Amino acid sequence: MSPCGINAVLLCSKPLLLSNPTAIRRSSKSVMASKTVDESDVGISCYISKLPGFRGILKQRYSDFIVNEVDMEGKVVHLTSLDAPPEIGEETVTMIDDTANNKSYASGIDKFRSLAGDADAKRLEDFISQINSGVEDSVRPIILSPDSDKSHRTAMHNFFKQNFKFLVTDVVDGPDASSKCIRVRLNNGGHNNKGKNSKKRKERGDKPFDSRGSENWPENVGKFLRFHLYKENKETQEALGLMGKMLGIQPRSFGFSGTKDKRSISTQRVTVFKQHATKLAALNERLIGIKVGDFCYVKEGLLLGQLMGNRFTVTLRGVVADSEDSIKASADALGRLGFINYFGLQRFGSGSVPTHLIGATLLRGEWKAVVSMILDPREGERDAVAKAREYYKESNDIEGTLRQLPRHLVAERAILQCLKKCPGNYLQALKSIPRTLRMMYVHSYQSYLWNHAASMRVQKYGADQVVLGDLVYCKGDDTERVTGCVNSECEDDNGNDACDSNNLDEIAGADLPEEINNSVKVVTAEDILTGNYTIDDVVLPMPGSRVIYPANDIANVYHDLAKKDVISLMESVHSVKEFSITDMTGSYRRVFQRPIDFDWELLTYTDGNIPLVETDLDKFAKSKPVKMVRMEGPANGNEDTNLLDCRKQSESVENDIKLQSDENEAKGERDAQLALKLSFTLPASCYATMAIRELLKTSTSVAFHKTLN
């Protein structure tokens, strides 16, 4: 039988007609006209199982999607304590500050007295004492005595630069027109830290760092505080941004292994540079939808990609199927056969301008067009954002737009701030976007090509056997006969040998190599005869300069699609390395993935507003009451209409369910509904939504599941 047999028709929801150029890629105009990306737009079209799907609502509430990070040792990360450990390090720091620093400050203040007089010296001494008391967040600047002598004021400025580098000075108007006053304030790490420190920043390699309060950190205490971050319905960067603002430190001071989906409840590890646990623990009373705990001091900060994977607990509500047997059969098939390891829709953005289209435009070197794609008005956005975009489009007023643009639009704000300083320099504006974010666009395009290639592999050759020309990870003696070797599932696009994991995957974290320096080879006729390889070994490349392509017609998918986008995978049309596929190493990704430690359970419920699964906070609150301010509502509804649900978590979820169930039973208002609870672990860079898609045989888009509510 031809390899493109009947299985191909049954396994794919939409056949890929590569012979027809218009079927390969919908034009950017047609894709951008819709509010969200469809799965077929980004190459997601096939299934492994031939079993029928069934109805189920994904993320009806964000509490239906729970993510717990799995660390490099294979341990699942949970929030188990909110208490800060005994601060032996803090006592040491305080002692050092009170002895060594006070001695040096006394000497400096004596010198200052001879320059400025007793009154200003006393002001400065009190100011420094207030800072040393540990309440620097509330310390207000001091104003020194009026001074009409400019040369004397200059001497004062220079004195502070030389003797009190943790303070900065500027000038304010005095009580009369002829005098000025020097204002003294704590250096908060803002623009005054540039200049001399910029060289040090380059030497640090832009590693997370914030020097304030760290000069006398005790040697026996790790420089990084590691903690577990529990968050509800918030992106990782958003949560850390809020915490950084409260702590008065830069976001770069935090380190984490991967971003987690916003529409979820997640727990992950985070590190912060030279901060005391007591200070972070105190934030728990102020944070909304966020808790921090399980503190310890470590020597190294976390970097993107330093995780083994994620543990998912997913509840599908409103399940409707022909029978419970069909649900059980589908769940068993998912555990046994797995799913196609597609990059999920999250990889391509949730807005009306898909990130892979921005990536394609970057690869073509069309800098101005990319800026327009990021800044221009879009469909489906909130009124405040839409208004800001329209205002800039019509007025070109950068200052006015920045005042309107929400701070979470990081890329847009970075571009505008750069264009304000360097008008017309669109390339520099794009480079001002944080690296993690700007590289997401190019990685998204690579993922777009990979998805299409994976669909063609399943459509043409099925999902049950290795075929001639496939790429596989090498085994045993085959390592002597390799044809390609590169870090698997790891992209090095900056010329370094280290793994570059700067990808924004909302679900499964950054791209992490399954096995570092895995060798890849092309399957030969001899390999097929010996049966040395199985379908689990099959990989496909993420395009780059050091990957090889399958030795069959699947390779054509990559080049044909790229050609339609006027992109060459073999040479670059510009010299900007980070926006060029030919300057990226490339990587490999397994085509098929089985869920690990897979469990499932059918549940019944009567009230869709009651959680069906305990979170880390719920479990912890059973033994100790915890106040948690929540913003709960349908996860795929309008977030602006979410209500604040402030409640103490000392009552267990079971009691909440029982109470509500009793009320419903008395009123007889609702019928019992069926839910399917799934628990499984996936390696980093795998998407839980793609496993759910295999089960339901329906789209995983937010727009689709909204229609089911």
Side-chain angles (χ1 to χ4, degrees):
M1 176 182 282
S2 162
C4 190
I6 189 170
N7 284 356
V9 178
L10 294 172
L11 291 170
C12 290
S13 58
K14 291 184 181 179
L16 296 176
L17 304 175
L18 289 182
S19 59
N20 180 357
T22 59
I24 296 176
R25 172 180 174 267
R26 294 171 63 187
S27 70
S28 60
K29 184 179 292 185
S30 64
V31 174
M32 290 164 60
S34 61
K35 289 187 178 181
T36 55
V37 181
D38 289 330
E39 289 182 343
S40 59
D41 295 330
V42 292
I44 302 171
S45 58
C46 295
Y47 302 98
I48 292 179
S49 163
K50 303 174 188 176
L51 293 171
F54 53 89
R55 181 190 188 275
I57 305 172
L58 177 63
K59 298 185 185 180
Q60 186 178 51
R61 304 180 67 79
Y62 63 74
S63 54
D64 292 339
F65 201 88
I66 299 175
V67 187
N68 291 84
E69 190 170 274
V70 180
D71 66 20
M72 294 296 284
E73 297 178 354
K75 296 177 181 177
V76 180
V77 176
H78 289 283
L79 183 72
T80 61
S81 171
L82 301 180
D83 299 327
E87 287 287 6
I88 53 172
E90 187 170 358
E91 293 170 3
T92 307
V93 173
T94 303
M95 181 180 66
I96 293 174
D97 284 343
D98 289 345
T99 54
N101 281 351
N102 283 351
K103 189 180 294 183
S104 62
Y105 294 156
S107 169
I109 290 170
D110 284 342
K111 293 179 185 177
F112 184 69
R113 182 175 286 107
S114 64
L115 178 66
D118 290 339
D120 282 345
K122 183 67 169 66
R123 288 191 186 97
L124 179 61
E125 185 176 15
D126 293 342
F127 184 59
I128 292 175
S129 296
Q130 191 178 4
I131 293 172
N132 282 341
S133 69
V135 292
E136 59 189 53
D137 288 345
S138 60
V139 173
R140 299 180 64 83
I142 58 171
I143 308 295
L144 302 182
S145 302
D147 191 346
S148 57
D149 185 347
K150 185 175 181 180
S151 61
H152 184 257
R153 293 199 305 270
T154 301
M156 297 269 280
H157 289 306
N158 289 334
F159 179 87
F160 278 97
K161 289 179 182 177
Q162 295 168 9
N163 296 275
F164 298 103
K165 295 181 179 180
F166 62 94
L167 302 176
V168 292
T169 58
D170 57 9
V171 175
V172 296
D173 291 334
D176 54 71
S178 63
S179 66
K180 299 285 185 182
C181 295
I182 289 179
R183 179 172 59 180
V184 184
R185 55 190 172 85
L186 185 66
N187 187 344
N188 62 4
H191 66 277
N192 292 291
N193 273 352
K194 296 183 179 177
K196 290 183 180 179
N197 286 348
S198 61
K199 182 178 179 181
K200 292 182 180 179
R201 192 177 297 117
K202 288 181 180 178
E203 291 171 355
R204 292 197 304 268
D206 270 344
K207 291 181 180 178
F209 189 86
D210 191 329
S211 61
R212 282 178 299 147
S214 65
E215 292 179 359
N216 297 300
W217 193 267
E219 293 183 4
N220 64 326
V221 177
K223 293 182 179 180
F224 293 87
L225 174 66
R226 190 177 70 201
F227 60 94
H228 292 178
L229 169 67
Y230 171 97
K231 60 184 183 63
E232 300 184 351
N233 202 31
K234 281 183 173 55
E235 294 174 347
T236 302
Q237 286 93 338
E238 178 189 1
L240 296 181
L242 287 170
M243 292 172 59
K245 190 173 182 180
M246 291 180 177
L247 293 168
I249 60 175
Q250 298 293 323
R252 67 189 304 115
S253 296
F254 294 102
F256 54 91
S257 302
T259 57
K260 309 302 178 193
D261 190 4
K262 175 181 179 179
R263 292 183 296 277
S264 70
I265 293 178
S266 66
T267 308
Q268 66 185 109
R269 297 165 304 147
V270 178
T271 55
V272 62
F273 185 74
K274 289 185 177 179
Q275 292 289 320
H276 292 295
T278 51
K279 204 170 182 180
L280 268 78
L283 298 181
N284 282 324
E285 293 297 318
R286 301 165 58 192
L287 292 166
I288 297 176
I290 300 171
K291 291 292 180 186
V292 291
D294 297 273
F295 303 99
C296 67
Y297 294 98
V298 295
K299 293 181 179 179
E300 300 291 337
L302 285 169
L303 299 174
L304 282 169
Q306 290 182 335
L307 76 166
M308 187 172 289
N310 292 287
R311 180 73 180 171
F312 297 92
T313 305
V314 182
T315 305
L316 300 174
R317 293 180 183 258
V319 171
V320 178
D322 292 338
S323 65
E324 288 193 10
D325 287 340
S326 64
I327 298 173
K328 294 175 182 177
S330 295
D332 288 339
L334 176 61
R336 188 176 68 257
L337 303 176
F339 58 95
I340 303 169
N341 197 20
Y342 287 124
F343 289 96
L345 288 176
Q346 303 93 319
R347 183 75 156 188
F348 306 97
S350 58
S352 61
V353 183
T355 53
H356 72 282
L357 294 182
I358 297 176
T361 314
L362 278 171
L363 293 171
R364 291 194 295 268
E366 299 169 5
W367 316 130
K368 185 176 180 179
V370 175
V371 168
S372 295
M373 293 174 79
I374 295 174
L375 294 180
D376 280 354
R378 305 179 179 189
E379 289 189 36
E381 288 190 310
R382 289 183 299 169
D383 290 343
V385 177
K387 183 180 177 182
R389 291 189 189 276
E390 289 286 356
Y391 177 79
Y392 179 70
K393 184 80 171 176
E394 295 171 1
S395 67
N396 209 34
D397 175 11
I398 293 178
E399 282 281 6
T401 306
L402 284 171
R403 283 195 294 269
Q404 299 181 46
L405 209 58
R407 292 195 174 274
H408 72 269
L409 296 177
V410 176
E412 288 85 345
R413 292 186 65 87
I415 287 173
L416 288 172
Q417 286 164 350
C418 184
L419 289 177
K420 179 183 173 183
K421 298 175 184 176
C422 309
N425 193 337
Y426 299 107
L427 175 57
Q428 191 59 39
L430 292 169
K431 286 187 173 182
S432 72
I433 300 172
R435 177 175 169 75
T436 303
L437 187 54
R438 70 178 184 260
M439 291 313 302
M440 173 189 69
Y441 301 124
V442 177
H443 293 155
S444 178
Y445 187 73
Q446 291 174 302
S447 306
Y448 164 78
L449 297 179
W450 191 96
N451 277 359
H452 278 284
S455 287
M456 177 54 80
R457 169 60 179 79
V458 175
Q459 179 182 342
K460 192 155 191 178
Y461 300 117
D464 54 358
Q465 61 183 358
V466 178
V467 299
L468 196 66
D470 271 340
L471 297 182
V472 292
Y473 285 134
C474 292
K475 293 181 180 178
D477 296 337
D478 279 334
T479 55
E480 300 296 324
R481 299 182 278 125
V482 300
T483 51
C485 180
V486 65
N487 288 355
S488 61
E489 299 201 12
C490 177
E491 299 154 7
D492 179 9
D493 47 26
N494 55 10
N496 298 328
D497 292 330
C499 175
D500 173 24
S501 299
N502 289 331
N503 300 308
L504 275 182
D505 287 349
E506 288 183 317
I507 288 293
D511 285 355
L512 179 76
E514 292 176 353
E515 301 167 39
I516 298 299
N517 290 326
N518 239 340
S519 299
V520 169
K521 61 161 286 180
V522 175
V523 171
T524 64
E526 181 184 352
D527 292 324
I528 293 176
L529 286 173
T530 58
N532 200 25
Y533 294 96
T534 69
I535 196 68
D536 294 328
D537 301 312
V538 176
V539 299
L540 283 172
M542 292 278 283
S545 61
R546 291 172 56 191
V547 298
I548 59 173
Y549 291 89
N552 52 37
D553 48 11
I554 304 303
N556 296 333
V557 177
Y558 290 92
H559 298 288
D560 289 347
L561 279 173
K563 187 177 180 181
K564 299 299 176 186
D565 290 323
V566 197
I567 293 170
S568 170
L569 301 182
M570 311 309 293
E571 59 183 357
S572 180
V573 296
H574 57 75
S575 58
V576 183
K577 290 187 176 182
E578 66 178 286
F579 299 142
S580 170
I581 280 185
T582 57
D583 283 291
M584 295 181 183
T585 301
S587 61
Y588 297 99
R589 179 179 178 87
R590 295 184 188 274
V591 179
F592 306 100
Q593 178 65 51
R594 287 186 177 89
I596 303 164
D597 297 329
F598 178 58
D599 292 311
W600 60 271
E601 178 185 3
L602 282 172
L603 307 170
T604 57
Y605 66 98
T606 55
D607 188 345
N609 294 318
I610 297 298
L612 297 177
V613 178
E614 283 188 324
T615 67
D616 281 354
L617 199 64
D618 293 327
K619 295 172 185 175
F620 174 68
K622 283 182 176 180
S623 58
K624 188 173 182 179
V626 178
K627 184 178 181 180
M628 180 67 169
V629 181
R630 278 181 167 156
M631 297 178 67
E632 177 68 280
N636 44 19
N638 188 337
E639 293 173 14
D640 291 339
T641 62
N642 286 350
L643 299 177
L644 278 175
D645 174 22
C646 304
R647 58 174 181 158
K648 288 194 173 182
Q649 294 297 311
S650 54
E651 296 181 22
S652 67
V653 172
E654 286 86 350
N655 288 340
D656 285 341
I657 294 175
K658 184 178 184 301
L659 177 63
Q660 194 68 37
S661 297
D662 290 344
E663 292 177 0
N664 288 337
E665 186 176 349
K667 295 177 182 178
E669 290 179 347
R670 292 175 182 159
D671 297 327
Q673 297 188 66
L674 196 62
L676 177 61
K677 172 188 166 187
L678 307 163
S679 301
F680 53 90
T681 299
L682 294 178
S685 87
C686 295
Y687 287 75
T689 50
M690 294 298 97
I692 303 303
R693 175 183 177 274
E694 175 69 31
L695 188 70
L696 299 180
K697 301 295 191 298
T698 58
S699 171
T700 57
S701 73
V702 173
F704 173 77
H705 283 269
K706 264 183 165 182
T707 66
L708 300 181
N709 266 336

